[in-house]
Amino acid sequence: MSLKASCGSQRRSLCSLLAGREIKKPKLEDGQRLQEAAVQLLDQHQNLCSLFQEQENPDPCHMFGSQNQAASESNPRHVSGQLLGRELRRQADRQGISVGAVSVKTMLDRLKEITGRQEEDRQREMFTSSQRVQLQVLLESSKQLLSQGVLCPKLLWVEYRRDQKLPNLELVYFLHLYNILTLDYIVESDEGIGSWLPGQLKALCCWTPPQEEEETKQVQQKVLSTTVGVLVAAERKISVLDELLLWLLDIEEERGEGAERWIQTLDASLCGASVSPEALQRFFTHCLTQIFTCNPRLTVSDAVTLQNEWTIAKASRCLTSLYCKLTVIFSVEQLLHHLQQVLETHEVNWKHVLVFVSTLLVYDQLAQSSLRELLSRLLSSAFEGYDLEKLITAFLLARQGALEGAGVFPSYSHWFKMSFGGRSGFHAGSKKSLVFLLKFLSDLVPFEPPQYLKVHILHPPYVPPKHRSLLMEYVTLAKTRLADLKESVEDMGLYEEVSAAGASVQSQAAHDVEKAVCLFESTGKISATVMEASIFRRPYFLTRFLPALLKPRALPLKPDAQMNFIEALKKAEKIPVAQFSQYVESCQKRRQQNESAERLDPREDPLDVLKVQLQEFTELLSGGHDGETSAQLSRISHSLSVIFPGSPDEPIRAVAVTLNTDTPPLPDLHLKVVNLILQNFCQSLLITSRGSPPNKQSLWGSRFVCLLLDNRQLLSSLIHRLWNLFHHQAASLSSAHILGLAAFMVHLQASSAVSPLVQLAPPGRPQPVPLVEALSSAVLSSTRTNMLFSVRLAVAAVCYGLCRGDSVSPLQQLQQDFIPCSLYKKLLYLIPRLFPAARRRPDGQQEDSPTLRWSCIAHDGTNWTKTVMHLWRHAAFQQLQQLHQYQLCLSEWLHDELRVQRNEDVLSDTQRQEYQQWACWELYLPRPEEQGGCGGDSRKLCAHLLTAILEQSPRDLNLENLDCSPGSSGTCLPDLLSRLQEVVYEAERSDRADLGNFLLQLVSQRCSSSSGSFSSKLGLQRTVLAWNRVLLALPAGIFFNIKTEGGRRSLDCSQLVEHINQHQRKVCPAATVLPCALTAHLLKGLLYAAGRCGHPAGELNQAWSQMSTTCPLLVVSAVRWWQQLSPVLVSLWTRLRDAEPLPEQLQLLSACRRWAHSLSPGPVVQMPPAAVLVRAASLHEAFRGGEEHQQNFRAVLDSLDPEREAEHQQVLVSLLFLYMKDFLSELLDPQAKSSEKSKSFCSELLAVLVNSADWLLLFRT
């Protein structure tokens, strides 16, 4: 209730009394008479304290703006002020003292009345709202008295200080606000200000107003900021603020509201309103100096030892917030220059200094380069003057930056190698410099954490050979220190990888296991390093390596690389039997129980902590607090290191991260964490995209991804989760998920320089691949659903990458660094396939704004089809195809096309045919070879098609199934076979007579590359079988060349004969003959080719006669299948030659067959004049029949007595050769029922030929 309302019921104010008298229009003389009457009235009732209340109650809403309003002569306040002044003068005259003393006494009495209630509430540090209103009334009256010369401000302060040992800071502020007593005067004149002002400021900071008193909160902030501003301007009283700063540093760990309120007061926009920029800079510089030099109790050795605990994630939020406020008005160069000056001239608190460096690096992206320059200057100066202080400063600063992770500053090992690892190192100038460095490192050894000693040992400074002994002295000392720390050389790992700060020996052993398994998977052998360790480093092998390898886990149903590696070690007797049995038992229990991952801190769930931190990160991101988001990411990184304990110091390793595509699900905790991370990233992307496009956003995404790359264990879980999402759950992902994951892939691409390679297991590729490429291989394009998801993901990623690329400087990164090649190529493959309009060449009207496209995707996920075509026509999108890594070559297109499932394709059979013909004939055939095309050469198009078909042919083909129907396969293999047929037909029409030889040479090159290993032999068999299927689909005549010599056209079968002898022979089954379908196809080709010669029958007879000696496999196969082939070939020859008889050599095949079957009891047919091999093969085929033929085998041999005719002897030797092949094949074939029959035939033949030496030639090498 206002003062006016409270007093109105008892008595009316002077103004209201005067107002009530106005009945008629006032005149000038009426006013004079009125004043005289008022004076007489006051003489009758004189109460000065009550008179001070005769002012109009102020409007609280204008409390801070009314003091500057000039009182008008007609204002009732002015009238009452004049009356108050006259009364004070009259009282002074009556008492015989000065009017100033009377006014001061009267004002102080009134102040006691107002502040009396506050003294009763000792816990309250500020006035209540009603007290503040009464105080304003008093100050308004005092201001009018001051203008009349009645009030003496200096006397007022003297008398007030005499009564009050601790002045009320809010009252002092209002005296300053109403220009009665300025803070500047109080600060300059009050000698005892240092005794009361700091305490008042502390008390006011620590006091929190009630929730409902919003006005009090505003006044509190104004009191603090105004007081600080005045103190900053009065630099001679800066010690008052120094005391507050030391108080803040003492309570920094408590993180109370008092400390946060004081830090907020130091905001440059608040306290700098009444201070010049120069004064504010001097004050903030002074504060930084005070912080750096506060309590310098820690020595350099303490800093070296404890530095790991001073990262920004572990530092108090109070200290980092204070640094942010004090550094905002400076550049990074200014701050580092000042830090260097302080370090050179003062004893410092190393904790505060190093936390400052971390804060600077995390909150300012430009700080990394500036700190590198400072380190370079420090090292140069240190080695020029052999300054030990500058050298230790450089080492501490470099290590502090490295502790914040690779996303903020390079690792310590990288910095040490760059600074001292080469001939151009800072120490390489002279022996004195080398000794200076090694002595410095030796002096640090007693205080060094083990990870730095390992860096120095594994990556030693460059030392000339003649000074090698100096380095060995240090290495020996460092190894001794590691032994004292129970981290001997044995614990340094097998592969000399540097663990991170605080990393355990177990993490190093886990890394050794990871690399050993990777090497075993790639080579199939236990690495020599592991074998040597099992002998020469047996303690480490048994106590570190094997426990890490045999860590219990839920084993997959299908053995993975680690299980195979364990089995290999077990067979090599490198694993103790008891230890292996315990491992198997533990794995079985783990599989049965299916326990979730163990949590490290049962008192505080790390998952809950991470949830809160990620939520705070999203809120900071939506508020645009860039510096705070970087600090929050550091805290998130620390929480993740608790859940995923690993080694975050070395993100770039020689060993790739293994991606097990058929691994069991992730542990429950790890799965929840990874899902939480991906969900938060998607949510953050949507929030930031609402306000601005990617090219206008901060670098939060890159920092977020770099944080994840620092932790290998987390990264492995993340990669497995992303693979599972892309490969198995793509259809269930929403538009928001697709956008977020696409942006995530872009940031992974941009961070590829610091990300490890990925080795797929089972190995889809022999060598590790970049991370984004490995994940992109999980994005399939085999079905309609997969194609649509791939397009949406790739469109979002490329749009986001183009936008992000616009935001970087050309000197920092190229635009293509943000666009994954693999996803871009998916668009080059899928967009023309799904959108026929994209097959037309661009008309020159290309769009230029990727921002518009991203906004359409981000805000309207249903309109993505329009975005596809806009992106396709985009200038930057088309320009990327000029770069080699972004070109989709023909082999890659064929690889993708062959993986499409025909029954689930988005295209019909007709549409797929049109698309493939467009791609082959219009896109890739005319395209230059350097751009992945064929350069107009149809033979190269044919070669690409054949190579792709051979690599992709079904694995279940066998020699008896070569003529399977084209539609039996679910892939697009039959379609591409049709395209190959079209190319061959086109080549035939253009009279490319050498096309058949060209294809045979291609197949020979693929077959000749096989080695002698068992896997290579299987690969050769698979290649030849696939080629046989292709051969059956092509015109057989192209494999027989027509030569023209002297006007005569003749057959040339040399290339085909060589192919059959070198490759077809190696994959023949136990029957040792070519398949029937293949034999028929080749013989038909022979007939077709002979029909194009001048004398068809003669050319065929001559060619077949030559084959009897040069290509026995084809001849034997023709005899074997002649009963099925004869009708087909006779019909074909009749059609070709108008009922002309079959050539003589083919007629002899029928005659030999009749002769061989006539040797059983009955009339014997005369032996035909055919080739020896043909007659022997006919006999061989005849005795494959019924038992009656086999029983008469001896009689037949007697009728072919070799002693009577030499020709009979040659036939029997050839027959022995064929049966010997059968016998050997049956012996080598585990599925053969019995080899007794072939053995019996061989014995009978040898009995007949025993007196002849010709059969011995069969065994000549």
Side-chain angles (χ1 to χ4, degrees):
M1 183 180 294
S2 67
L3 181 62
K4 181 175 181 179
S6 62
C7 300
S9 60
Q10 299 179 6
R11 63 177 182 271
R12 299 172 65 187
S13 66
L14 174 63
C15 296
S16 62
L17 287 174
L18 295 177
R21 299 288 182 173
E22 291 189 28
I23 300 176
K24 58 183 180 179
K25 185 176 182 179
K27 300 179 181 178
L28 180 60
E29 56 273 14
D30 293 339
Q32 295 175 355
R33 288 198 302 270
L34 182 61
Q35 289 185 10
E36 293 175 358
V39 170
Q40 293 177 2
L41 179 62
L42 290 172
D43 285 340
Q44 297 174 4
H45 183 69
Q46 300 166 0
N47 187 338
L48 291 176
C49 291
S50 299
L51 189 58
F52 268 107
Q53 301 178 20
E54 290 295 327
Q55 302 289 330
E56 288 288 335
N57 290 335
D59 184 0
C61 296
H62 298 85
M63 180 181 298
F64 304 111
S66 62
Q67 69 273 18
N68 294 324
Q69 298 175 356
S72 139
E73 292 295 331
S74 59
N75 192 336
R77 293 186 182 182
H78 178 69
V79 174
S80 60
Q82 286 185 337
L83 296 177
L84 182 58
R86 289 183 182 181
E87 176 58 23
L88 290 173
R89 290 188 183 92
R90 197 175 64 81
Q91 289 284 357
D93 293 341
R94 179 181 299 174
Q95 298 177 16
I97 58 178
S98 66
V99 64
V102 175
S103 61
V104 167
K105 181 178 182 305
T106 306
M107 185 176 179
L108 290 177
D109 291 340
R110 178 59 183 153
L111 280 175
K112 289 181 180 180
E113 292 181 11
I114 295 173
T115 59
R117 299 176 185 175
Q118 185 180 5
E119 294 178 358
E120 296 175 2
D121 188 0
R122 298 291 182 183
Q123 297 181 351
R124 188 177 181 90
E125 296 294 337
M126 297 185 68
F127 296 132
T128 62
S129 179
S130 60
Q131 286 177 314
R132 201 170 291 116
V133 171
Q134 295 177 44
L135 178 63
Q136 187 182 15
V137 172
L138 175 62
L139 295 178
E140 283 285 355
S141 301
S142 301
K143 184 177 180 181
Q144 294 183 15
L145 293 179
L146 184 62
S147 64
Q148 299 175 33
V150 177
L151 181 64
C152 178
K154 296 182 180 180
L155 180 61
L156 174 64
W157 181 251
V158 172
E159 293 299 325
Y160 179 73
R161 286 287 283 121
R162 182 178 295 134
D163 294 339
Q164 299 287 337
K165 293 183 179 180
L166 296 176
N168 187 296
L169 193 55
E170 185 180 5
L171 174 61
V172 172
Y173 163 73
F174 276 111
L175 290 175
H176 171 82
L177 186 66
Y178 282 89
N179 278 330
I180 297 174
L181 268 173
T182 65
L183 273 168
D184 307 72
Y185 170 77
I186 296 175
V187 169
E188 294 294 337
S189 62
D190 193 338
E191 298 296 334
I193 189 172
S195 62
W196 64 269
L197 186 54
Q200 289 290 306
L201 287 172
K202 294 177 190 177
L204 190 59
C205 285
C206 295
W207 183 71
T208 302
Q211 188 68 28
E212 64 276 5
E213 295 189 19
E214 189 62 33
E215 177 191 339
T216 303
K217 296 178 183 178
Q218 297 179 9
V219 174
Q220 182 185 33
Q221 188 60 51
K222 289 182 178 292
V223 172
L224 291 172
S225 60
T226 303
T227 305
V228 171
V230 171
L231 291 173
V232 170
E235 298 184 24
R236 292 188 296 113
K237 299 296 182 179
I238 207 72
S239 58
V240 175
L241 295 177
D242 288 346
E243 185 174 342
L244 266 295
L245 183 61
L246 295 176
W247 164 73
L248 178 65
L249 295 176
D250 289 338
I251 65 170
E252 63 171 287
E253 298 295 339
E254 300 176 8
R255 294 180 59 183
E257 292 187 9
E260 294 180 0
R261 190 171 289 113
W262 180 249
I263 292 173
Q264 186 64 31
T265 303
L266 294 179
D267 193 292
S269 61
L270 296 178
C271 66
S274 58
V275 183
S276 66
E278 294 77 13
L280 189 62
Q281 284 192 355
R282 288 194 296 271
F283 170 64
F284 281 1
T285 302
H286 172 78
C287 289
L288 288 174
T289 304
Q290 291 295 105
I291 298 173
F292 294 158
T293 59
C294 173
N295 298 328
R297 298 187 301 268
L298 297 173
T299 62
V300 170
S301 59
D302 295 329
V304 171
T305 304
L306 302 175
Q307 188 173 8
N308 294 336
E309 303 298 322
W310 296 342
T311 61
I312 195 170
K314 299 178 181 179
S316 69
R317 187 79 64 91
C318 175
L319 183 58
T320 56
S321 300
L322 178 60
Y323 280 141
C324 291
K325 294 296 182 184
L326 296 178
T327 58
V328 70
I329 61 175
F330 300 101
S331 66
V332 176
E333 290 75 14
Q334 289 176 315
L335 293 170
L336 291 178
H337 177 69
H338 178 66
L339 174 63
Q340 185 177 3
Q341 287 183 330
V342 173
L343 290 172
E344 292 174 353
T345 56
H346 295 76
E347 292 291 331
V348 296
N349 185 319
W350 280 108
K351 177 182 178 181
H352 291 173
V353 168
L354 297 177
V355 171
F356 170 77
V357 173
S358 289
T359 305
L360 200 60
L361 287 170
V362 170
Y363 280 83
D364 195 327
Q365 294 297 307
L366 300 177
Q368 181 182 141
S369 59
S370 299
L371 181 57
R372 284 182 175 180
E373 294 175 2
L374 174 60
L375 293 175
S376 179
R377 292 196 302 270
L378 287 173
L379 290 176
S380 297
S381 179
F383 282 95
E384 287 176 3
Y386 302 103
D387 191 330
L388 191 60
E389 292 186 359
K390 291 183 179 179
L391 187 59
I392 186 59
T393 300
F395 270 75
L396 287 174
L397 296 185
R399 292 180 180 184
Q400 189 66 25
L403 288 174
E404 297 301 334
V408 176
F409 196 79
S411 65
Y412 175 72
S413 61
H414 176 78
W415 174 82
F416 189 81
K417 287 186 290 186
M418 292 299 101
S419 300
F420 306 106
R423 295 176 180 270
S424 60
F426 293 95
H427 68 296
S430 64
K431 179 181 178 182
K432 185 176 181 181
S433 298
L434 174 62
V435 172
F436 174 64
L437 173 64
L438 293 177
K439 185 179 185 305
F440 165 73
L441 294 177
S442 300
D443 292 340
L444 286 183
V445 166
F447 315 103
E448 289 266 49
Q451 73 272 10
Y452 298 122
L453 292 174
K454 293 178 181 179
V455 170
H456 301 159
I457 294 174
L458 298 176
H459 306 286
Y462 169 75
V463 175
K466 60 182 179 180
H467 301 314
R468 193 71 180 173
S469 59
L470 299 176
L471 175 63
M472 297 311 299
E473 292 178 4
Y474 167 75
V475 171
T476 302
L477 181 62
K479 289 184 177 180
T480 304
R481 174 59 178 166
L482 286 174
D484 294 340
L485 296 173
K486 296 182 180 180
E487 295 200 19
S488 64
V489 179
E490 292 292 336
D491 293 334
M492 292 171 62
L494 302 181
Y495 297 98
E496 299 186 350
E497 288 293 336
V498 182
S499 298
S504 63
V505 177
Q506 286 73 18
S507 65
Q508 178 61 55
H511 172 260
D512 289 339
V513 168
E514 183 180 357
K515 180 165 185 178
V517 172
C518 181
L519 292 175
F520 176 80
E521 187 176 9
S522 60
T523 63
K525 300 178 181 179
I526 303 173
S527 67
T529 305
V530 175
M531 297 299 290
E532 292 171 0
S534 67
I535 302 173
F536 302 109
R537 298 185 57 188
R538 193 165 181 79
Y540 176 82
F541 182 80
L542 293 177
T543 62
R544 304 296 187 193
F545 183 81
L546 284 184
L549 175 65
L550 302 178
K551 185 177 181 181
R553 63 185 180 119
L555 297 178
L557 297 177
K558 181 180 179 181
D560 57 7
Q562 184 172 345
M563 294 176 65
N564 294 332
F565 179 62
I566 293 173
E567 186 64 25
L569 286 177
K570 179 175 177 292
K571 290 181 179 179
E573 299 182 352
K574 298 300 180 182
I575 303 178
V577 177
Q579 192 173 7
F580 182 78
S581 301
Q582 184 180 3
Y583 165 72
V584 174
E585 183 180 353
S586 300
C587 289
Q588 291 174 349
K589 290 181 180 179
R590 179 66 60 90
R591 188 174 186 84
Q592 293 172 358
Q593 297 173 359
N594 194 18
E595 296 176 344
S596 60
E598 180 183 3
R599 294 182 175 180
L600 300 177
D601 188 357
R603 297 168 299 175
E604 187 177 35
D605 189 350
L607 183 60
D608 293 338
V609 175
L610 183 63
K611 285 181 180 179
V612 174
Q613 291 176 338
L614 288 172
Q615 182 62 34
E616 291 176 354
F617 172 76
T618 305
E619 295 173 356
L620 291 172
L621 201 60
S622 61
H625 305 292
D626 188 43
E628 288 295 334
T629 56
S630 299
Q632 187 68 12
L633 284 175
S634 296
R635 301 181 189 100
I636 293 172
S637 176
H638 178 67
S639 299
L640 290 173
S641 67
V642 175
I643 303 174
F644 297 92
S647 75
D649 184 54
E650 292 286 341
I652 304 177
R653 294 177 181 263
V655 182
V657 176
T658 301
L659 173 58
N660 296 300
T661 56
D662 55 356
T663 189
L666 294 174
D668 186 53
L669 176 61
H670 292 182
L671 181 62
K672 289 181 179 179
V673 171
V674 172
N675 286 342
L676 189 62
I677 290 173
L678 294 177
Q679 179 182 0
N680 181 265
F681 185 90
C682 296
Q683 181 182 1
S684 300
L685 179 75
L686 293 178
I687 290 175
T688 54
S689 296
R690 293 190 191 120
S692 56
N695 57 333
K696 303 296 183 182
Q697 296 176 15
S698 66
L699 300 178
W700 70 271
S702 300
R703 299 170 190 161
F704 194 102
V705 171
C706 285
L707 174 153
L708 305 177
L709 295 175
D710 281 350
N711 192 312
R712 287 178 61 88
Q713 187 181 7
L714 167 62
L715 181 60
S716 177
S717 299
L718 183 66
I719 294 174
H720 282 83
R721 180 56 177 153
L722 287 173
W723 173 276
N724 188 60
L725 287 174
F726 290 154
H727 199 70
H728 301 294
Q729 303 180 30
S732 63
L733 295 176
S734 65
S735 298
H737 292 145
I738 293 175
L739 290 177
L741 295 178
F744 193 84
M745 294 283 282
V746 170
H747 287 294
L748 285 177
Q749 172 71 20
S751 305
S752 57
V754 296
S755 60
L757 299 178
V758 176
Q759 177 65 61
L760 297 175
R765 302 185 185 180
Q767 299 297 328
V769 296
L771 195 156
V772 176
E773 186 176 347
L775 292 177
S776 298
S777 64
V779 182
L780 304 178
S781 303
S782 56
T783 65
R784 173 188 176 89
T785 303
N786 291 336
M787 289 180 188
L788 296 180
F789 169 75
S790 298
V791 169
R792 295 183 66 183
L793 179 71
V795 165
V798 172
C799 284
Y800 185 83
L802 289 174
C803 290
R804 288 300 305 175
D806 286 345
S807 65
V808 300
S809 168
L811 299 177
Q812 295 175 346
Q813 272 183 306
L814 298 175
Q815 187 182 57
Q816 57 264 28
D817 293 341
F818 292 88
I819 302 175
C821 303
S822 50
L823 294 182
Y824 180 85
K825 289 182 179 180
K826 287 188 180 296
L827 292 182
L828 294 182
Y829 169 67
L830 289 174
I831 291 180
R833 201 176 200 281
L834 302 179
F835 301 90
R839 301 172 194 171
R840 297 190 295 268
R841 294 186 180 275
D843 54 5
Q845 298 178 357
Q846 298 178 339
E847 300 184 4
D848 293 324
S849 175
T851 303
L852 178 61
R853 296 298 101 229
W854 172 253
S855 62
C856 293
I857 298 176
H859 301 148
D860 186 8
T862 61
N863 199 29
W864 67 272
T865 53
K866 294 182 179 179
T867 305
V868 170
M869 294 308 301
H870 284 297
L871 177 65
W872 182 259
R873 301 188 188 100
H874 193 273
F877 182 89
Q878 293 294 334
Q879 289 171 2
L880 283 174
Q881 293 191 63
Q882 300 176 7
L883 303 175
H884 176 72
Q885 65 268 31
Y886 288 96
Q887 294 171 356
L888 181 70
C889 62
L890 176 56
S891 59
E892 293 173 323
W893 178 84
L894 291 170
H895 178 273
D896 291 335
E897 190 68 15
L898 280 168
R899 275 155 180 76
V900 175
Q901 301 297 318
R902 304 174 78 241
N903 54 344
E904 298 184 49
D905 191 5
V906 69
L907 302 179
S908 65
D909 291 344
T910 303
Q911 292 172 336
R912 182 167 54 252
Q913 178 183 357
E914 293 176 355
Y915 164 68
Q916 291 178 352
Q917 288 175 341
W918 167 83
C920 291
W921 294 103
E922 299 182 35
L923 182 62
Y924 285 108
L925 180 59
R927 177 176 290 183
E929 289 187 60
E930 57 271 15
Q931 296 180 14
C934 302
D937 189 348
S938 59
R939 289 203 312 177
K940 292 180 179 176
L941 176 58
C942 189
H944 280 289
L945 286 168
L946 178 59
T947 301
I949 292 171
L950 294 182
E951 291 177 349
Q952 185 62 24
S953 288
R955 302 295 179 87
D956 58 349
L957 282 179
N958 51 54
L959 290 172
E960 288 75 24
N961 193 32
L962 283 176
D963 54 349
C964 60
S965 61
S968 63
S969 173
T971 68
C972 286
L973 180 61
D975 300 274
L976 292 184
L977 273 174
S978 299
R979 304 293 82 77
L980 179 60
Q981 289 173 328
E982 293 169 359
V983 177
V984 172
Y985 175 78
E986 180 72 18
E988 281 189 311
R989 299 287 293 178
S990 60
D991 197 21
R992 296 298 297 268
D994 60 342
L995 182 61
N997 289 346
F998 174 73
L999 295 177
L1000 291 175
Q1001 289 173 2
L1002 284 177
V1003 176
S1004 297
Q1005 290 175 3
R1006 290 184 59 86
C1007 296
S1008 300
S1009 61
S1010 303
S1011 62
S1013 63
F1014 181 73
S1015 60
S1016 296
K1017 292 179 180 179
L1018 289 178
L1020 171 64
Q1021 184 179 22
R1022 189 160 46 245
T1023 299
V1024 174
L1025 292 179
W1027 158 243
N1028 287 344
R1029 180 180 182 180
V1030 176
L1031 191 152
L1032 292 175
L1034 298 179
I1038 65 173
F1039 301 105
F1040 296 87
N1041 292 336
I1042 306 296
K1043 297 189 303 182
T1044 303
E1045 295 180 358
R1048 178 173 174 269
R1049 296 166 63 102
S1050 59
L1051 286 175
D1052 179 14
C1053 310
S1054 58
Q1055 196 74 30
L1056 177 63
V1057 168
E1058 181 181 358
H1059 169 73
I1060 295 175
N1061 290 336
Q1062 287 188 358
H1063 308 301
Q1064 296 288 349
R1065 181 177 57 83
K1066 295 180 180 179
V1067 298
C1068 282
T1072 62
V1073 292
L1074 296 176
C1076 180
L1078 181 60
T1079 305
H1081 193 68
L1082 293 177
L1083 290 180
K1084 287 191 290 185
L1086 179 61
L1087 266 62
Y1088 279 121
R1092 293 173 9 220
C1093 297
H1095 301 281
E1099 291 297 333
L1100 191 147
N1101 289 330
Q1102 182 179 357
W1104 190 254
S1105 298
Q1106 293 175 355
M1107 286 186 183
S1108 298
T1109 57
T1110 60
C1111 190
L1113 179 59
L1114 180 59
V1115 173
V1116 173
S1117 301
V1119 174
R1120 171 69 177 82
W1121 306 112
W1122 187 248
Q1123 186 176 4
Q1124 294 96 311
L1125 299 181
S1126 178
V1128 177
L1129 297 179
V1130 170
S1131 174
L1132 175 60
W1133 184 257
T1134 302
R1135 295 195 306 272
L1136 291 175
R1137 302 302 302 168
D1138 296 330
E1140 182 179 322
L1142 200 65
E1144 179 184 359
Q1145 289 296 326
L1146 297 185
Q1147 292 181 18
L1148 287 176
L1149 294 179
S1150 299
C1152 288
R1153 174 179 172 79
R1154 290 192 299 271
W1155 166 76
H1157 284 273
S1158 71
L1159 293 179
S1160 58
V1164 178
V1165 178
Q1166 185 179 1
M1167 181 183 297
V1172 172
L1173 182 61
V1174 173
R1175 287 178 284 181
S1178 299
L1179 287 173
H1180 182 265
E1181 191 274 334
F1183 286 101
R1184 290 172 54 89
E1187 292 293 332
E1188 64 278 2
H1189 292 284
Q1190 299 174 11
Q1191 293 173 359
N1192 297 325
F1193 184 71
R1194 180 68 185 194
V1196 171
L1197 295 182
D1198 292 338
S1199 65
L1200 298 174
D1201 186 2
E1203 296 181 357
R1204 288 183 295 177
E1205 294 187 27
E1207 189 176 8
H1208 290 176
Q1209 181 177 329
Q1210 294 176 6
V1211 172
L1212 294 179
V1213 171
S1214 297
L1215 184 61
L1216 175 62
F1217 168 72
L1218 296 176
Y1219 277 118
M1220 287 291 295
K1221 285 176 59 180
D1222 291 345
F1223 177 62
L1224 294 176
S1225 298
E1226 291 169 359
L1227 286 178
L1228 297 176
D1229 185 6
Q1231 297 180 353
K1233 296 180 180 179
S1234 174
S1235 60
E1236 292 298 326
K1237 182 170 62 176
S1238 299
K1239 181 180 179 181
S1240 174
F1241 285 160
C1242 291
S1243 300
E1244 295 288 347
L1245 283 168
L1246 286 174
V1248 175
L1249 296 171
V1250 66
N1251 296 325
S1252 172
D1254 290 347
W1255 66 271
L1256 295 174
L1257 299 176
L1258 298 178
F1259 302 97
R1260 186 178 60 181
T1261 58

